[in-house]
Amino acid sequence: MSDVPRFIPSDGALVEVTYRTIQGRFLLKPSRPLNELVLGVLARAQSFCPTVELIGIVVLSNHILCAAAHKMCYVECRIMWSC
């Protein structure tokens, strides 16, 4: 993970966020409890940043992809720094 955000888009832009497992290993076993955990974590994160709207979520065995639209650049900065 980088220390400084590489690119901050203009207001209302679509952002793709990728989270990868350690060394790209297949650590996320597809199951209902994993789906509920991921949805719970994302719901809690969205409660802290209500101006971010999640468009799509894909959970695979070795990474998670999220497409999000934000209304303020400041919110995007806070999300990137909190990870």
Side-chain angles (χ1 to χ4, degrees):
M1 185 175 90
S2 64
D3 293 335
V4 180
R6 294 186 183 114
F7 174 71
I8 299 174
S10 62
D11 294 342
L14 184 66
V15 179
E16 180 183 342
V17 181
T18 303
Y19 295 104
R20 202 178 133 208
T21 59
I22 298 171
Q23 298 177 348
R25 294 182 182 184
F26 299 116
L27 300 176
L28 303 173
K29 181 181 178 185
S31 63
R32 183 174 298 275
L34 176 67
N35 292 343
E36 292 173 358
L37 179 67
V38 169
L39 289 176
V41 168
L42 290 174
R44 181 166 167 80
Q46 194 167 12
S47 71
F48 289 117
C49 299
T51 57
V52 175
E53 179 184 358
L54 291 176
I55 306 298
I57 305 162
V58 177
V59 179
L60 300 170
S61 296
N62 62 351
H63 65 282
I64 298 173
L65 298 169
C66 295
H70 67 85
K71 298 175 184 162
M72 298 176 357
C73 289
Y74 175 72
V75 173
E76 174 66 21
C77 291
R78 288 189 59 199
I79 289 173
M80 293 177 79
W81 281 104
S82 66
C83 297

Coordinates of all heavy atoms in Angstrom, one line a residue:
M1 N 0.8 -1.2 0.0 CA 0.0 0.0 0.0 C 0.9 1.2 0.0 O 1.9 1.3 0.7 CB -0.9 0.0 1.2 CG -1.9 1.1 1.2 SD -3.0 1.1 2.6 CE -2.1 2.0 3.8
S2 N 0.5 2.2 -0.8 CA 1.3 3.4 -0.9 C 1.0 4.4 0.3 O -0.1 4.3 0.9 CB 1.1 4.1 -2.2 OG -0.3 4.5 -2.2
D3 N 1.9 5.3 0.6 CA 1.7 6.2 1.7 C 0.8 7.4 1.3 O 0.1 8.0 2.1 CB 3.0 6.7 2.2 CG 3.8 5.6 2.9 OD1 3.2 4.7 3.4 OD2 5.0 5.7 2.9
V4 N 0.9 7.8 0.0 CA 0.2 9.0 -0.5 C -0.7 8.5 -1.6 O -0.3 7.7 -2.5 CB 1.3 10.0 -1.1 CG1 0.6 11.2 -1.6 CG2 2.3 10.4 0.0
P5 N -2.0 9.0 -1.6 CA -2.9 8.7 -2.7 C -2.3 9.1 -4.0 O -1.8 10.2 -4.1 CB -4.2 9.4 -2.3 CG -4.1 9.7 -0.9 CD -2.6 9.8 -0.6
R6 N -2.3 8.2 -5.0 CA -1.8 8.5 -6.3 C -2.6 9.5 -7.1 O -2.1 10.3 -7.9 CB -1.5 7.2 -7.1 CG -0.5 6.4 -6.4 CD -0.2 5.2 -7.3 NE 0.8 4.3 -6.6 CZ 0.5 3.1 -6.2 NH1 -0.7 2.6 -6.4 NH2 1.4 2.4 -5.5
F7 N -3.9 9.3 -7.0 CA -4.9 10.1 -7.8 C -6.1 10.3 -7.0 O -6.7 9.4 -6.5 CB -5.1 9.4 -9.1 CG -6.2 10.0 -10.0 CD1 -5.9 11.2 -10.6 CD2 -7.4 9.5 -10.1 CE1 -6.9 11.8 -11.4 CE2 -8.4 10.1 -10.9 CZ -8.1 11.3 -11.6
I8 N -6.6 11.6 -7.0 CA -7.9 11.9 -6.4 C -8.7 12.5 -7.5 O -8.5 13.5 -8.0 CB -7.7 12.9 -5.2 CG1 -6.8 12.3 -4.1 CG2 -9.0 13.3 -4.6 CD1 -6.4 13.2 -3.0
P9 N -9.8 11.7 -7.8 CA -10.7 12.2 -8.9 C -11.5 13.4 -8.5 O -11.7 13.7 -7.4 CB -11.5 11.0 -9.2 CG -11.6 10.2 -7.9 CD -10.3 10.5 -7.3
S10 N -12.1 14.0 -9.5 CA -13.0 15.1 -9.3 C -14.3 14.6 -8.6 O -14.6 13.4 -8.5 CB -13.4 15.8 -10.6 OG -14.0 14.9 -11.5
D11 N -15.1 15.6 -8.1 CA -16.3 15.2 -7.4 C -17.3 14.4 -8.3 O -17.4 14.6 -9.5 CB -17.1 16.5 -7.0 CG -16.2 17.2 -6.0 OD1 -15.4 16.6 -5.4 OD2 -16.5 18.4 -5.8
G12 N -17.9 13.4 -7.7 CA -18.9 12.6 -8.4 C -18.3 11.5 -9.3 O -19.0 10.9 -10.1
A13 N -17.0 11.2 -9.2 CA -16.4 10.2 -10.0 C -16.5 8.8 -9.5 O -16.8 8.6 -8.3 CB -14.9 10.6 -10.2
L14 N -16.4 7.9 -10.4 CA -16.4 6.5 -10.0 C -15.0 6.0 -9.7 O -14.1 6.3 -10.4 CB -17.0 5.6 -11.1 CG -17.2 4.1 -10.9 CD1 -18.3 3.9 -9.8 CD2 -17.6 3.4 -12.1
V15 N -14.8 5.3 -8.5 CA -13.5 4.9 -8.1 C -13.6 3.4 -7.9 O -14.5 2.8 -7.4 CB -13.2 5.5 -6.7 CG1 -11.9 5.1 -6.2 CG2 -13.2 7.0 -6.8
E16 N -12.5 2.7 -8.3 CA -12.4 1.3 -8.1 C -11.3 1.0 -7.0 O -10.2 1.6 -7.1 CB -11.9 0.6 -9.4 CG -11.8 -0.9 -9.2 CD -11.3 -1.6 -10.5 OE1 -11.4 -1.0 -11.6 OE2 -10.8 -2.7 -10.3
V17 N -11.7 0.3 -6.0 CA -10.8 0.0 -4.9 C -10.6 -1.5 -4.9 O -11.6 -2.3 -4.9 CB -11.5 0.4 -3.6 CG1 -10.5 0.1 -2.4 CG2 -11.8 1.9 -3.6
T18 N -9.3 -2.0 -4.8 CA -9.0 -3.4 -4.8 C -8.2 -3.7 -3.5 O -7.3 -3.0 -3.1 CB -8.1 -3.7 -6.0 OG1 -8.8 -3.4 -7.2 CG2 -7.8 -5.2 -6.0
Y19 N -8.7 -4.7 -2.8 CA -8.0 -5.2 -1.6 C -7.5 -6.6 -2.0 O -8.3 -7.5 -2.4 CB -8.9 -5.3 -0.4 CG -9.3 -3.9 0.0 CD1 -10.6 -3.5 -0.2 CD2 -8.5 -3.1 0.7 CE1 -11.0 -2.2 0.2 CE2 -8.9 -1.8 1.2 CZ -10.1 -1.4 0.9 OH -10.5 -0.2 1.3
R20 N -6.2 -6.9 -1.7 CA -5.7 -8.2 -2.1 C -5.2 -8.9 -0.8 O -4.8 -8.3 0.1 CB -4.4 -8.0 -3.0 CG -4.1 -9.1 -3.8 CD -2.9 -8.8 -4.7 NE -2.0 -9.9 -4.6 CZ -0.7 -9.9 -4.7 NH1 -0.1 -8.7 -5.1 NH2 0.1 -10.9 -4.6
T21 N -5.3 -10.2 -0.8 CA -4.8 -11.0 0.3 C -3.3 -11.0 0.3 O -2.6 -10.7 -0.6 CB -5.3 -12.5 0.3 OG1 -4.9 -13.1 -0.9 CG2 -6.8 -12.5 0.3
I22 N -2.7 -11.4 1.4 CA -1.3 -11.5 1.6 C -0.7 -12.5 0.6 O -1.2 -13.6 0.4 CB -0.9 -12.0 3.0 CG1 -1.4 -11.0 4.0 CG2 0.6 -12.2 3.2 CD1 -1.3 -11.4 5.5
Q23 N 0.3 -12.0 -0.2 CA 1.0 -12.8 -1.3 C 0.0 -13.4 -2.3 O 0.3 -14.3 -3.0 CB 1.8 -13.9 -0.6 CG 2.9 -13.4 0.3 CD 3.6 -14.5 0.9 OE1 3.2 -15.7 0.9 NE2 4.8 -14.2 1.6
G24 N -1.2 -12.8 -2.4 CA -2.2 -13.3 -3.4 C -2.7 -14.7 -3.1 O -3.1 -15.4 -4.0
R25 N -2.5 -15.2 -1.9 CA -3.0 -16.5 -1.6 C -4.5 -16.6 -1.6 O -5.2 -15.6 -1.4 CB -2.5 -16.9 -0.2 CG -1.0 -17.0 -0.1 CD -0.5 -17.4 1.2 NE 0.9 -17.5 1.3 CZ 1.6 -17.9 2.4 NH1 1.0 -18.3 3.4 NH2 2.9 -17.9 2.3
F26 N -5.0 -17.8 -1.8 CA -6.5 -18.0 -1.8 C -7.0 -18.2 -0.4 O -7.2 -19.4 0.1 CB -6.8 -19.3 -2.7 CG -6.3 -19.1 -4.1 CD1 -5.4 -19.9 -4.6 CD2 -6.9 -18.1 -4.9 CE1 -5.0 -19.8 -6.0 CE2 -6.5 -18.0 -6.2 CZ -5.6 -18.8 -6.7
L27 N -7.1 -17.1 0.4 CA -7.5 -17.2 1.8 C -9.0 -17.0 2.0 O -9.5 -17.3 3.1 CB -6.7 -16.2 2.6 CG -5.2 -16.3 2.5 CD1 -4.5 -15.2 3.3 CD2 -4.8 -17.6 3.1
L28 N -9.7 -16.5 1.0 CA -11.1 -16.2 1.2 C -11.9 -17.3 0.6 O -12.2 -17.4 -0.6 CB -11.5 -14.8 0.5 CG -10.7 -13.6 1.0 CD1 -11.0 -12.4 0.2 CD2 -10.9 -13.3 2.5
K29 N -12.4 -18.2 1.5 CA -13.2 -19.4 1.0 C -14.6 -18.9 0.7 O -15.2 -18.4 1.6 CB -13.1 -20.5 2.1 CG -13.9 -21.7 1.7 CD -13.9 -22.7 2.8 CE -14.7 -23.9 2.3 NZ -14.7 -24.9 3.4
P30 N -15.1 -19.1 -0.5 CA -16.5 -18.7 -0.8 C -17.5 -19.4 0.2 O -17.6 -20.6 0.2 CB -16.7 -19.1 -2.2 CG -15.3 -19.3 -2.8 CD -14.5 -19.7 -1.6
S31 N -18.2 -18.6 0.9 CA -19.2 -19.2 1.8 C -20.2 -18.1 2.3 O -19.9 -16.9 2.1 CB -18.6 -19.8 3.1 OG -17.9 -18.8 3.8
R32 N -21.3 -18.5 2.8 CA -22.3 -17.5 3.3 C -21.7 -16.7 4.5 O -21.9 -15.5 4.5 CB -23.6 -18.2 3.7 CG -24.7 -17.3 4.2 CD -26.0 -18.0 4.4 NE -26.5 -18.7 3.2 CZ -27.2 -18.1 2.3 NH1 -27.5 -16.8 2.4 NH2 -27.7 -18.7 1.3
P33 N -21.0 -17.3 5.5 CA -20.5 -16.5 6.5 C -19.5 -15.4 6.0 O -19.5 -14.3 6.5 CB -19.8 -17.5 7.4 CG -20.5 -18.8 7.2 CD -20.9 -18.7 5.8
L34 N -18.7 -15.7 5.0 CA -17.8 -14.7 4.5 C -18.6 -13.6 3.8 O -18.2 -12.4 4.0 CB -16.8 -15.4 3.5 CG -15.9 -14.4 2.8 CD1 -14.9 -13.8 3.7 CD2 -15.2 -15.0 1.6
N35 N -19.6 -13.9 3.0 CA -20.4 -12.9 2.4 C -21.0 -12.0 3.4 O -21.0 -10.8 3.3 CB -21.5 -13.6 1.6 CG -21.0 -14.3 0.4 OD1 -19.8 -14.1 0.0 ND2 -21.8 -15.1 -0.2
E36 N -21.6 -12.6 4.5 CA -22.2 -11.7 5.6 C -21.1 -10.9 6.3 O -21.4 -9.7 6.6 CB -22.9 -12.6 6.6 CG -24.1 -13.3 6.0 CD -24.7 -14.4 7.0 OE1 -24.1 -14.6 8.1 OE2 -25.7 -15.0 6.6
L37 N -19.9 -11.4 6.5 CA -18.9 -10.6 7.1 C -18.5 -9.4 6.2 O -18.3 -8.3 6.7 CB -17.7 -11.5 7.4 CG -16.5 -10.8 8.0 CD1 -16.8 -10.4 9.4 CD2 -15.3 -11.8 8.0
V38 N -18.3 -9.7 4.9 CA -17.9 -8.6 4.0 C -18.9 -7.5 3.9 O -18.7 -6.3 4.0 CB -17.5 -9.2 2.6 CG1 -17.4 -8.1 1.6 CG2 -16.3 -10.0 2.7
L39 N -20.2 -8.0 3.8 CA -21.3 -7.0 3.8 C -21.4 -6.2 5.1 O -21.7 -5.0 5.0 CB -22.6 -7.7 3.5 CG -22.8 -8.2 2.0 CD1 -24.1 -9.0 1.9 CD2 -22.7 -7.1 1.0
G40 N -21.2 -6.8 6.2 CA -21.2 -6.2 7.5 C -20.1 -5.1 7.6 O -20.3 -4.0 8.1
V41 N -18.9 -5.5 7.2 CA -17.7 -4.6 7.3 C -18.0 -3.4 6.3 O -17.7 -2.2 6.7 CB -16.4 -5.3 6.9 CG1 -15.3 -4.3 6.7 CG2 -16.1 -6.3 8.0
L42 N -18.5 -3.6 5.1 CA -18.7 -2.5 4.2 C -19.9 -1.6 4.7 O -19.8 -0.4 4.5 CB -19.0 -3.1 2.8 CG -17.8 -3.7 2.1 CD1 -18.2 -4.3 0.8 CD2 -16.7 -2.7 1.9
A43 N -20.9 -2.2 5.3 CA -22.0 -1.4 5.8 C -21.5 -0.5 6.9 O -21.9 0.6 7.0 CB -23.1 -2.3 6.3
R44 N -20.7 -1.1 7.8 CA -20.1 -0.2 8.9 C -19.2 0.9 8.4 O -19.3 2.0 8.8 CB -19.3 -1.1 9.9 CG -18.7 -0.3 11.0 CD -18.3 -1.3 12.1 NE -17.4 -0.6 13.1 CZ -17.9 0.2 14.1 NH1 -19.2 0.3 14.2 NH2 -17.1 0.7 14.9
A45 N -18.4 0.6 7.4 CA -17.6 1.6 6.8 C -18.4 2.7 6.1 O -18.1 3.9 6.2 CB -16.6 1.0 5.7
Q46 N -19.5 2.3 5.5 CA -20.4 3.2 4.8 C -21.1 4.1 5.8 O -21.4 5.2 5.5 CB -21.3 2.5 3.9 CG -22.0 3.5 2.9 CD -22.7 2.8 1.8 OE1 -22.9 1.6 1.8 NE2 -23.2 3.6 0.8
S47 N -21.3 3.6 7.0 CA -22.0 4.4 8.0 C -21.1 5.5 8.5 O -21.6 6.6 8.9 CB -22.4 3.6 9.2 OG -21.3 3.1 9.9
F48 N -19.8 5.4 8.4 CA -18.8 6.4 8.7 C -18.7 7.5 7.6 O -18.3 8.6 7.8 CB -17.4 5.9 9.0 CG -17.4 5.1 10.3 CD1 -17.1 3.8 10.4 CD2 -17.6 5.7 11.5 CE1 -17.1 3.1 11.5 CE2 -17.6 5.0 12.7 CZ -17.3 3.7 12.7
C49 N -18.9 7.0 6.4 CA -18.8 7.9 5.2 C -20.1 7.8 4.4 O -20.1 7.2 3.3 CB -17.6 7.5 4.3 SG -16.0 7.6 5.2
P50 N -21.1 8.5 4.8 CA -22.4 8.4 4.1 C -22.4 9.0 2.7 O -23.3 8.7 1.9 CB -23.4 9.1 5.0 CG -22.6 10.0 5.8 CD -21.2 9.4 5.9
T51 N -21.4 9.8 2.3 CA -21.4 10.4 1.0 C -20.8 9.5 -0.1 O -20.7 9.8 -1.2 CB -20.6 11.7 1.0 OG1 -19.3 11.5 1.5 CG2 -21.2 12.7 1.9
V52 N -20.3 8.3 0.4 CA -19.8 7.3 -0.6 C -20.9 6.3 -0.8 O -21.5 5.7 0.1 CB -18.5 6.6 0.0 CG1 -18.1 5.5 -0.9 CG2 -17.4 7.6 0.2
E53 N -21.1 6.0 -2.1 CA -22.2 5.1 -2.5 C -21.5 3.9 -3.2 O -20.7 4.0 -4.2 CB -23.1 5.8 -3.5 CG -24.2 4.8 -4.0 CD -25.1 5.5 -5.1 OE1 -24.8 6.7 -5.4 OE2 -26.0 4.8 -5.6
L54 N -21.7 2.7 -2.6 CA -21.1 1.5 -3.2 C -22.0 1.1 -4.4 O -23.2 0.9 -4.3 CB -21.1 0.4 -2.2 CG -20.1 0.6 -1.1 CD1 -20.2 -0.6 -0.1 CD2 -18.7 0.7 -1.6
I55 N -21.3 0.9 -5.6 CA -22.0 0.5 -6.8 C -22.0 -1.0 -7.0 O -23.0 -1.6 -7.3 CB -21.3 1.2 -8.0 CG1 -21.3 2.7 -7.8 CG2 -22.0 0.9 -9.3 CD1 -22.6 3.4 -7.7
G56 N -20.8 -1.6 -6.8 CA -20.7 -3.0 -7.0 C -19.6 -3.6 -6.1 O -18.6 -2.9 -5.8
I57 N -19.7 -4.8 -5.7 CA -18.8 -5.5 -4.9 C -18.5 -6.9 -5.5 O -19.5 -7.6 -5.8 CB -19.3 -5.7 -3.4 CG1 -19.6 -4.3 -2.8 CG2 -18.2 -6.3 -2.6 CD1 -20.5 -4.4 -1.6
V58 N -17.3 -7.3 -5.6 CA -16.9 -8.6 -6.0 C -15.9 -9.2 -5.1 O -14.9 -8.6 -4.8 CB -16.3 -8.6 -7.5 CG1 -15.9 -10.0 -7.9 CG2 -17.3 -8.1 -8.5
V59 N -16.2 -10.4 -4.5 CA -15.3 -11.0 -3.6 C -14.9 -12.3 -4.2 O -15.7 -13.2 -4.5 CB -16.0 -11.3 -2.2 CG1 -15.1 -12.0 -1.2 CG2 -16.6 -10.0 -1.6
L60 N -13.6 -12.4 -4.4 CA -13.0 -13.6 -5.0 C -12.1 -14.3 -3.9 O -11.9 -13.8 -2.8 CB -12.2 -13.3 -6.2 CG -13.1 -12.7 -7.4 CD1 -12.2 -12.1 -8.5 CD2 -14.0 -13.6 -7.9
S61 N -11.5 -15.4 -4.2 CA -10.6 -16.1 -3.3 C -9.4 -15.3 -2.8 O -8.9 -15.5 -1.7 CB -10.2 -17.5 -3.8 OG -11.4 -18.3 -4.0
N62 N -8.9 -14.5 -3.7 CA -7.6 -13.8 -3.3 C -7.7 -12.3 -3.4 O -6.7 -11.6 -3.1 CB -6.5 -14.3 -4.2 CG -6.6 -14.0 -5.6 OD1 -7.7 -13.6 -6.0 ND2 -5.6 -14.2 -6.4
H63 N -8.9 -11.7 -3.7 CA -9.0 -10.3 -3.7 C -10.5 -9.8 -3.7 O -11.3 -10.6 -4.0 CB -8.2 -9.6 -4.8 CG -8.7 -9.9 -6.2 ND1 -8.5 -11.1 -6.8 CD2 -9.5 -9.2 -7.0 CE1 -9.0 -11.1 -8.0 NE2 -9.7 -9.9 -8.2
I64 N -10.7 -8.6 -3.3 CA -12.0 -8.0 -3.3 C -12.0 -6.7 -4.1 O -11.0 -5.9 -4.0 CB -12.4 -7.6 -1.8 CG1 -12.5 -8.9 -0.9 CG2 -13.7 -6.9 -1.8 CD1 -12.7 -8.6 0.5
L65 N -13.0 -6.5 -5.0 CA -13.1 -5.4 -5.8 C -14.3 -4.6 -5.4 O -15.4 -5.2 -5.2 CB -13.2 -5.7 -7.3 CG -12.0 -6.5 -7.9 CD1 -12.4 -7.0 -9.3 CD2 -10.9 -5.6 -8.0
C66 N -14.2 -3.3 -5.2 CA -15.4 -2.4 -4.9 C -15.4 -1.3 -5.9 O -14.4 -0.7 -6.2 CB -15.3 -1.9 -3.5 SG -15.3 -3.1 -2.2
A67 N -16.5 -1.0 -6.5 CA -16.8 0.2 -7.3 C -17.6 1.1 -6.5 O -18.7 0.8 -6.0 CB -17.5 -0.2 -8.6
A68 N -17.1 2.3 -6.3 CA -17.8 3.3 -5.4 C -17.8 4.7 -6.1 O -16.9 5.0 -6.8 CB -17.1 3.4 -4.1
A69 N -18.9 5.4 -5.8 CA -19.0 6.8 -6.3 C -19.0 7.7 -5.1 O -19.7 7.4 -4.1 CB -20.3 6.9 -7.1
H70 N -18.2 8.7 -5.1 CA -18.2 9.6 -4.0 C -18.6 11.0 -4.4 O -18.6 11.4 -5.6 CB -16.8 9.7 -3.4 CG -15.8 10.3 -4.2 ND1 -15.6 11.6 -4.3 CD2 -14.9 9.7 -5.1 CE1 -14.6 11.9 -5.1 NE2 -14.2 10.7 -5.7
K71 N -19.1 11.8 -3.5 CA -19.5 13.1 -3.8 C -18.6 14.2 -3.4 O -18.7 15.4 -3.8 CB -20.9 13.4 -3.0 CG -21.9 12.4 -3.5 CD -23.2 12.6 -2.7 CE -24.2 11.5 -3.2 NZ -25.2 11.3 -2.2
M72 N -17.6 13.9 -2.6 CA -16.6 14.8 -2.1 C -15.2 14.2 -2.2 O -15.0 13.1 -1.8 CB -16.8 15.3 -0.7 CG -18.2 16.0 -0.5 SD -18.6 16.4 1.2 CE -17.4 15.8 2.2
C73 N -14.2 14.9 -2.7 CA -12.8 14.4 -2.7 C -12.3 14.2 -1.4 O -11.5 13.3 -1.1 CB -11.9 15.4 -3.5 SG -12.3 15.4 -5.2
Y74 N -12.7 15.0 -0.4 CA -12.2 14.8 1.0 C -12.5 13.5 1.5 O -11.7 12.8 2.2 CB -12.7 15.9 1.9 CG -12.4 15.8 3.3 CD1 -11.1 16.0 3.7 CD2 -13.3 15.4 4.3 CE1 -10.7 15.9 5.1 CE2 -13.0 15.2 5.6 CZ -11.7 15.5 6.0 OH -11.3 15.3 7.3
V75 N -13.7 13.0 1.2 CA -14.1 11.7 1.7 C -13.2 10.6 1.1 O -12.8 9.7 1.8 CB -15.6 11.4 1.4 CG1 -16.0 10.0 1.7 CG2 -16.5 12.4 2.1
E76 N -12.9 10.7 -0.2 CA -12.0 9.7 -0.8 C -10.7 9.7 -0.1 O -10.1 8.7 0.1 CB -11.9 10.1 -2.3 CG -10.9 9.2 -3.0 CD -11.3 7.8 -3.1 OE1 -12.5 7.5 -3.0 OE2 -10.4 6.9 -3.3
C77 N -10.1 10.9 0.2 CA -8.9 11.0 0.9 C -8.9 10.2 2.3 O -8.0 9.5 2.6 CB -8.4 12.4 1.1 SG -8.0 13.3 -0.4
R78 N -10.0 10.5 3.0 CA -10.1 9.8 4.3 C -10.2 8.3 4.2 O -9.7 7.6 5.0 CB -11.4 10.4 5.0 CG -11.2 11.8 5.5 CD -12.3 12.2 6.4 NE -12.4 11.3 7.5 CZ -13.5 11.2 8.3 NH1 -14.6 11.9 8.0 NH2 -13.5 10.3 9.3
I79 N -10.9 7.8 3.2 CA -11.1 6.4 3.0 C -9.7 5.8 2.7 O -9.3 4.8 3.2 CB -12.1 6.1 1.9 CG1 -13.5 6.4 2.4 CG2 -12.0 4.6 1.5 CD1 -14.5 6.3 1.3
M80 N -8.9 6.4 1.8 CA -7.6 5.9 1.4 C -6.7 5.9 2.5 O -5.8 5.0 2.7 CB -7.1 6.7 0.2 CG -7.9 6.5 -1.1 SD -7.4 7.4 -2.5 CE -6.0 6.4 -3.0
W81 N -6.7 6.9 3.4 CA -5.8 7.0 4.5 C -6.2 6.1 5.6 O -5.3 5.7 6.4 CB -5.7 8.5 5.0 CG -4.8 9.3 4.1 CD1 -5.3 10.2 3.2 CD2 -3.4 9.3 4.1 NE1 -4.2 10.8 2.6 CE2 -3.0 10.3 3.1 CE3 -2.4 8.6 4.7 CZ2 -1.7 10.5 2.8 CZ3 -1.1 8.9 4.4 CH2 -0.8 9.8 3.4
S82 N -7.4 5.7 5.8 CA -7.8 4.9 6.9 C -7.5 3.4 6.7 O -7.6 2.6 7.6 CB -9.3 5.0 7.1 OG -10.1 4.5 6.1
C83 N -7.2 3.0 5.4 CA -7.0 1.6 5.1 C -5.6 1.1 5.6 O -4.7 1.8 5.7 CB -7.1 1.3 3.6 SG -8.7 1.6 3.0

